[in-house]
Amino acid sequence: MSIRGSEVADGPPQAATAGSASLQSIDRYIRRASVLIARHEALLDRLDVALGDGDHGSNMGIGLRTVIRTLDETPPAARPTDAGTLLRQIGHGLVSSVGGASGPLYGTAFIEAGFYLADVARFDTATVAEAFEVAARALARRGRCSVGDKTILDALDPAARAIREAADRGEPLSVAMRLATGAAARGMRATTPLVARRGLALRLGERSRGHRDPGATSCFLLVLAMASDGRARRPT
Ligand SMILES: [Mg+2]
């Protein structure tokens, strides 16, 4: 997978203050995420037919559209004025509008990342690394899952690690997010041979092997949306 440089130009600015620039970045991000998930709703539903109850794509699509409608319908005076508050608003929206287990899981991740971002002054690679780590820990705690359980975390955790490694090397955020997308994609693909240890797929036991996890796949798309302008790209 390759992401052209032009596609990351719209991403979060590196080393901008965590003020209006990062607020706008996150607003643009969640809209790209919604478009990308909508394009892959059928794929996510199909993956979920094998492992769950076949509605992961529909749930994510409906949930993200609801979140964006809520943002759009919020009167300007009541809209979040910082990135952390916006992330928390998105998180609460996901909790209440994404059906199934993934709403609370993704919602908790966004909410906790939002609490972290509220306290930071800079929006750079190290900040995003920390936000991803906070999100991954929150999701693991909420879902009581570990890497290798065949869940969302199998894409989120490697993405967080990739951003941290990039931050440690002093890479700009655009490079970090490209590496995170690759890591999330590898984590997503690596769920295929795993036996599920969480969620509805748990009941399948050995029969869960050979199917890619829909949650790890939607997580890859959410990371990809952060690194790109959201143009169609099959998560193959
Ligand atoms: Mg379901």
Side-chain angles (χ1 to χ4, degrees), residues 162-212:
I163 302 168
R164 172 59 65 193
E165 286 167 19
D168 290 347
R169 287 196 307 272
E171 302 279 11
L173 190 50
S174 56
V175 172
M177 289 315 303
R178 193 174 64 224
L179 295 169
T181 304
R186 286 190 295 278
M188 165 188 79
R189 291 190 199 103
T191 62
T192 302
L194 296 174
V195 172
R197 290 196 289 252
R198 281 283 158 219
L200 286 179
L202 190 56
R203 75 197 190 287
L204 298 174
E206 277 293 327
R207 282 180 295 137
S208 64
R209 226 189 266 284
H211 302 283
R212 185 195 296 172

Coordinates of all heavy atoms in Angstrom, one line a residue, residues 162-212:
A162 N 3.6 2.1 15.8 CA 4.3 2.7 14.6 C 4.4 4.2 14.8 O 5.5 4.8 14.4 CB 3.5 2.3 13.3
I163 N 3.4 4.9 15.3 CA 3.5 6.3 15.5 C 4.5 6.7 16.6 O 5.3 7.6 16.4 CB 2.1 6.9 15.8 CG1 1.1 6.6 14.7 CG2 2.2 8.4 16.0 CD1 -0.4 6.9 15.1
R164 N 4.5 5.8 17.6 CA 5.5 6.1 18.7 C 6.9 5.9 18.1 O 7.8 6.8 18.4 CB 5.3 5.1 19.8 CG 6.3 5.1 20.9 CD 6.5 6.5 21.5 NE 5.3 6.9 22.3 CZ 5.1 8.1 22.7 NH1 5.9 9.1 22.5 NH2 4.0 8.4 23.4
E165 N 7.1 4.9 17.4 CA 8.5 4.7 16.8 C 8.9 5.8 15.9 O 10.0 6.3 15.9 CB 8.6 3.4 16.0 CG 8.6 2.1 17.0 CD 8.3 0.8 16.2 OE1 8.5 0.8 15.0 OE2 7.9 -0.1 16.9
A166 N 7.9 6.3 15.1 CA 8.2 7.4 14.2 C 8.5 8.7 15.0 O 9.4 9.5 14.7 CB 7.0 7.7 13.3
A167 N 7.7 8.9 16.1 CA 7.9 10.1 17.0 C 9.3 10.0 17.6 O 10.1 11.0 17.6 CB 6.9 10.1 18.1
D168 N 9.7 8.8 18.0 CA 11.1 8.7 18.6 C 12.2 9.0 17.6 O 13.3 9.4 18.0 CB 11.2 7.2 19.1 CG 10.4 7.0 20.4 OD1 9.8 8.0 20.9 OD2 10.2 5.8 20.8
R169 N 11.9 8.7 16.3 CA 12.9 9.1 15.2 C 12.8 10.5 14.8 O 13.5 10.9 13.9 CB 12.7 8.1 14.0 CG 13.1 6.7 14.3 CD 13.3 5.9 12.9 NE 12.0 6.0 12.1 CZ 11.0 5.2 12.2 NH1 11.1 4.2 13.0 NH2 10.0 5.3 11.4
G170 N 11.8 11.2 15.3 CA 11.6 12.6 14.9 C 10.9 12.8 13.6 O 11.1 13.8 12.9
E171 N 10.2 11.8 13.2 CA 9.5 11.9 11.9 C 8.3 12.9 11.9 O 7.6 13.0 13.0 CB 8.9 10.5 11.5 CG 9.9 9.4 11.3 CD 10.7 9.4 10.0 OE1 10.5 10.4 9.3 OE2 11.4 8.4 9.8
P172 N 8.0 13.5 10.8 CA 6.8 14.4 10.8 C 5.5 13.5 10.8 O 5.5 12.3 10.5 CB 6.9 15.1 9.4 CG 7.8 14.3 8.6 CD 8.7 13.5 9.5
L173 N 4.4 14.1 11.2 CA 3.2 13.4 11.4 C 2.7 12.7 10.1 O 2.1 11.6 10.2 CB 2.1 14.4 11.9 CG 0.8 13.8 12.4 CD1 1.0 12.7 13.4 CD2 -0.1 14.9 13.0
S174 N 2.9 13.3 9.0 CA 2.5 12.7 7.7 C 3.1 11.4 7.5 O 2.5 10.4 7.1 CB 2.7 13.6 6.5 OG 4.1 14.0 6.5
V175 N 4.5 11.3 7.8 CA 5.2 10.0 7.7 C 4.7 9.0 8.7 O 4.5 7.9 8.5 CB 6.7 10.3 7.9 CG1 7.5 9.0 8.0 CG2 7.2 11.1 6.7
A176 N 4.5 9.5 10.0 CA 4.0 8.6 11.1 C 2.7 8.0 10.7 O 2.5 6.8 10.9 CB 3.9 9.4 12.4
M177 N 1.8 8.8 10.1 CA 0.5 8.3 9.8 C 0.5 7.3 8.7 O -0.3 6.3 8.6 CB -0.5 9.4 9.5 CG -0.9 10.2 10.8 SD -1.3 9.3 12.2 CE -2.6 8.2 11.6
R178 N 1.5 7.5 7.7 CA 1.6 6.5 6.6 C 2.1 5.2 7.2 O 1.6 4.1 6.8 CB 2.6 7.1 5.6 CG 2.6 6.3 4.3 CD 3.4 7.0 3.3 NE 4.8 7.0 3.6 CZ 5.6 8.1 3.5 NH1 5.2 9.2 3.0 NH2 6.9 8.0 3.9
L179 N 3.1 5.3 8.1 CA 3.6 4.1 8.8 C 2.5 3.4 9.6 O 2.4 2.2 9.6 CB 4.8 4.4 9.6 CG 6.0 4.9 8.8 CD1 7.1 5.4 9.8 CD2 6.6 3.8 8.0
A180 N 1.7 4.2 10.3 CA 0.6 3.7 11.1 C -0.4 2.9 10.2 O -0.9 1.9 10.6 CB -0.1 4.8 11.9
T181 N -0.7 3.5 9.1 CA -1.7 2.8 8.1 C -1.1 1.5 7.7 O -1.9 0.5 7.7 CB -1.9 3.7 6.9 OG1 -2.4 5.0 7.4 CG2 -2.9 3.1 6.0
G182 N 0.2 1.4 7.4 CA 0.8 0.1 7.0 C 0.7 -0.9 8.2 O 0.4 -2.1 8.0
A183 N 1.0 -0.4 9.4 CA 1.0 -1.3 10.5 C -0.4 -1.8 10.8 O -0.6 -2.9 11.2 CB 1.6 -0.5 11.7
A184 N -1.4 -0.9 10.7 CA -2.8 -1.3 10.9 C -3.2 -2.3 9.9 O -3.9 -3.2 10.2 CB -3.7 0.0 10.9
A185 N -2.8 -2.1 8.7 CA -3.2 -3.0 7.6 C -2.6 -4.4 7.9 O -3.2 -5.4 7.7 CB -2.7 -2.5 6.2
R186 N -1.3 -4.4 8.3 CA -0.7 -5.7 8.6 C -1.4 -6.4 9.8 O -1.6 -7.6 9.8 CB 0.8 -5.6 8.9 CG 1.6 -5.3 7.7 CD 3.1 -5.3 7.9 NE 3.6 -4.3 8.8 CZ 3.8 -3.0 8.5 NH1 3.7 -2.7 7.2 NH2 4.2 -2.1 9.3
G187 N -1.7 -5.6 10.8 CA -2.4 -6.1 12.0 C -3.8 -6.7 11.6 O -4.2 -7.7 12.1
M188 N -4.5 -5.9 10.7 CA -5.8 -6.4 10.2 C -5.7 -7.7 9.5 O -6.4 -8.7 9.8 CB -6.3 -5.3 9.3 CG -7.5 -5.7 8.4 SD -7.9 -4.5 7.1 CE -6.6 -4.8 5.9
R189 N -4.7 -7.8 8.6 CA -4.5 -9.1 7.9 C -4.1 -10.2 8.8 O -4.5 -11.4 8.6 CB -3.5 -8.9 6.8 CG -3.9 -8.0 5.7 CD -3.0 -8.1 4.5 NE -3.1 -6.9 3.7 CZ -2.3 -5.8 3.7 NH1 -1.2 -5.8 4.4 NH2 -2.6 -4.8 2.9
A190 N -3.4 -9.9 9.8 CA -2.9 -10.9 10.8 C -4.0 -11.5 11.6 O -3.8 -12.5 12.3 CB -1.8 -10.4 11.7
T191 N -5.2 -10.9 11.6 CA -6.3 -11.5 12.4 C -6.9 -12.7 11.7 O -7.6 -13.5 12.3 CB -7.5 -10.5 12.6 OG1 -8.0 -10.1 11.3 CG2 -7.0 -9.2 13.4
T192 N -6.7 -12.8 10.4 CA -7.3 -13.9 9.6 C -7.0 -15.3 10.2 O -8.0 -16.1 10.4 CB -6.9 -13.9 8.1 OG1 -7.3 -12.6 7.6 CG2 -7.6 -14.9 7.3
P193 N -5.8 -15.7 10.5 CA -5.6 -17.0 11.0 C -5.8 -17.2 12.5 O -5.7 -18.3 13.0 CB -4.1 -17.2 10.7 CG -3.5 -15.9 10.7 CD -4.5 -15.0 10.2
L194 N -6.2 -16.1 13.2 CA -6.4 -16.2 14.6 C -7.7 -16.8 15.0 O -8.7 -16.8 14.3 CB -6.4 -14.8 15.2 CG -5.1 -14.0 15.1 CD1 -5.3 -12.6 15.7 CD2 -3.9 -14.7 15.9
V195 N -7.7 -17.5 16.2 CA -9.0 -17.9 16.8 C -9.5 -16.8 17.7 O -8.7 -16.3 18.5 CB -8.7 -19.2 17.6 CG1 -10.0 -19.6 18.4 CG2 -8.3 -20.4 16.7
A196 N -10.8 -16.4 17.6 CA -11.3 -15.3 18.3 C -11.4 -15.6 19.8 O -11.7 -16.8 20.2 CB -12.7 -15.0 17.8
R197 N -11.0 -14.7 20.6 CA -11.1 -14.8 22.1 C -12.0 -13.8 22.7 O -12.1 -13.7 23.9 CB -9.7 -14.7 22.7 CG -8.8 -15.9 22.3 CD -7.6 -16.1 23.2 NE -6.6 -15.0 23.0 CZ -5.4 -15.2 22.4 NH1 -5.1 -16.4 22.0 NH2 -4.6 -14.2 22.2
R198 N -12.6 -13.0 21.8 CA -13.6 -12.0 22.3 C -14.7 -11.8 21.4 O -14.6 -12.2 20.2 CB -12.9 -10.6 22.5 CG -12.0 -10.5 23.7 CD -12.9 -10.2 24.9 NE -12.2 -10.6 26.1 CZ -12.7 -11.2 27.2 NH1 -14.0 -11.5 27.2 NH2 -12.0 -11.5 28.2
G199 N -15.8 -11.3 21.8 CA -17.0 -10.9 21.0 C -17.8 -12.1 20.5 O -17.6 -13.3 21.0
L200 N -18.7 -11.9 19.6 CA -19.6 -12.9 19.1 C -18.8 -14.1 18.5 O -19.3 -15.2 18.5 CB -20.6 -12.3 18.1 CG -21.7 -11.4 18.6 CD1 -22.5 -10.9 17.4 CD2 -22.6 -12.1 19.6
A201 N -17.7 -13.8 17.9 CA -16.9 -14.9 17.2 C -16.4 -15.9 18.2 O -16.0 -17.0 17.7 CB -15.8 -14.2 16.4
L202 N -16.4 -15.5 19.4 CA -15.9 -16.5 20.5 C -16.6 -17.8 20.4 O -16.0 -18.9 20.6 CB -16.1 -15.8 21.8 CG -15.5 -16.4 23.1 CD1 -14.0 -16.5 23.0 CD2 -15.9 -15.5 24.3
R203 N -17.9 -17.7 20.1 CA -18.7 -18.9 20.1 C -18.3 -19.9 19.0 O -18.7 -21.1 19.0 CB -20.2 -18.6 20.0 CG -20.6 -18.1 18.6 CD -22.0 -17.4 18.6 NE -22.5 -17.2 17.2 CZ -22.0 -16.3 16.3 NH1 -20.9 -15.6 16.7 NH2 -22.5 -16.2 15.1
L204 N -17.6 -19.4 18.0 CA -17.2 -20.2 16.8 C -16.0 -21.1 17.1 O -15.8 -22.0 16.4 CB -17.0 -19.3 15.6 CG -18.1 -18.5 15.1 CD1 -17.7 -17.6 14.0 CD2 -19.3 -19.5 14.6
G205 N -15.2 -20.7 18.1 CA -14.0 -21.4 18.4 C -13.1 -21.5 17.2 O -12.9 -20.5 16.5
E206 N -12.6 -22.7 16.9 CA -11.7 -23.0 15.8 C -12.3 -22.5 14.5 O -11.5 -22.2 13.6 CB -11.4 -24.5 15.7 CG -10.3 -24.9 16.7 CD -8.9 -24.3 16.3 OE1 -8.6 -24.1 15.1 OE2 -8.1 -24.0 17.3
R207 N -13.6 -22.5 14.4 CA -14.2 -22.1 13.1 C -14.1 -20.6 12.8 O -14.4 -20.1 11.7 CB -15.7 -22.5 13.1 CG -15.9 -24.0 12.8 CD -17.4 -24.3 12.8 NE -18.0 -24.1 14.1 CZ -19.1 -23.6 14.3 NH1 -19.9 -23.1 13.3 NH2 -19.6 -23.4 15.6
S208 N -13.6 -19.8 13.8 CA -13.3 -18.4 13.5 C -12.0 -18.2 12.8 O -11.8 -17.1 12.2 CB -13.3 -17.6 14.9 OG -12.2 -18.1 15.7
R209 N -11.2 -19.2 12.7 CA -10.0 -19.2 12.0 C -10.3 -19.1 10.5 O -11.2 -19.6 10.0 CB -9.2 -20.5 12.2 CG -7.7 -20.3 12.5 CD -7.0 -21.6 12.5 NE -6.9 -22.3 13.8 CZ -6.0 -21.9 14.7 NH1 -5.2 -20.9 14.5 NH2 -5.9 -22.6 15.9
G210 N -9.4 -18.3 9.8 CA -9.6 -18.1 8.3 C -10.5 -17.0 7.9 O -10.7 -16.8 6.7
H211 N -11.0 -16.2 8.9 CA -11.8 -15.0 8.5 C -11.2 -13.8 9.1 O -10.9 -13.8 10.3 CB -13.2 -15.2 9.1 CG -13.9 -16.4 8.6 ND1 -14.5 -16.5 7.4 CD2 -14.1 -17.7 9.2 CE1 -15.0 -17.7 7.2 NE2 -14.8 -18.4 8.3
R212 N -11.1 -12.8 8.3 CA -10.5 -11.5 8.8 C -11.5 -10.8 9.8 O -12.7 -10.8 9.5 CB -10.2 -10.6 7.7 CG -9.5 -9.3 8.1 CD -9.5 -8.3 7.0 NE -8.8 -8.7 5.8 CZ -8.8 -8.0 4.7 NH1 -9.5 -6.9 4.6 NH2 -8.1 -8.5 3.7

